[in-house]
Amino acid sequence: FWLKPSPKLHFHFRFRSYVGLCFYIFPVTMDIDLLHPCPKEEKAKHKLKRIVQSPNSFFMDVKCPGCLQITTVFSHAQTVVLCGNCNQMICQPTGGLARLTEGCSFRRKTE
């Protein structure tokens, strides 16, 4: 009852499907350049949606305005950070980035 297709017909069918998929591809122009994104736009994206994933947080050296001692603080600190020398508050937590006390200067730590 079941007829076996001939190898010639089977090959012809496969060949037609490959022609339809592979050989009729048209070039598509993009509005944005995916290889060279703008650094400003890339920084604004979510940390997992960037081309190269990178965190938003960093460590920083904060200088106490009172005694000029340098303390290392995490950018997204979740607790109040006090100066080890004069017990003055250096930063206070918010929902995201920690807020530095007025008069404190900081620099981003490098690796």
Side-chain angles (χ1 to χ4, degrees):
F1 179 77
W2 294 98
L3 294 175
K4 197 172 188 182
S6 68
K8 186 175 184 181
L9 287 176
H10 186 64
F11 176 77
H12 183 67
F13 176 74
R14 282 180 41 202
F15 181 73
R16 286 185 62 204
S17 66
Y18 282 134
V19 168
L21 291 177
C22 296
F23 295 115
Y24 293 115
I25 298 175
F26 299 104
V28 178
T29 58
M30 301 275 303
D31 293 334
I32 57 172
D33 187 8
L34 294 177
L35 290 177
H36 308 289
C38 176
K40 194 174 187 179
E41 292 173 4
E42 198 68 14
K43 187 67 180 167
K45 287 183 182 177
H46 187 268
K47 63 183 181 180
L48 297 178
K49 304 258 181 181
R50 296 179 187 139
I51 291 179
V52 177
Q53 296 179 3
S54 61
N56 294 328
S57 57
F58 54 92
F59 286 94
M60 54 188 169
D61 286 331
V62 180
K63 189 184 288 186
C64 177
C67 63
L68 303 179
Q69 181 181 352
I70 294 177
T71 308
T72 301
V73 178
F74 186 59
S75 63
H76 291 66
Q78 296 181 352
T79 59
V80 173
V81 179
L82 301 174
C83 176
N85 199 13
C86 62
N87 280 346
Q88 184 177 356
M89 183 172 62
I90 293 180
C91 72
Q92 56 187 348
T94 61
L97 285 169
R99 181 178 294 128
L100 293 176
T101 306
E102 195 167 329
C104 288
S105 59
F106 78 97
R107 73 171 174 217
R108 206 173 173 141
K109 272 196 162 234
T110 58
E111 293 183 32

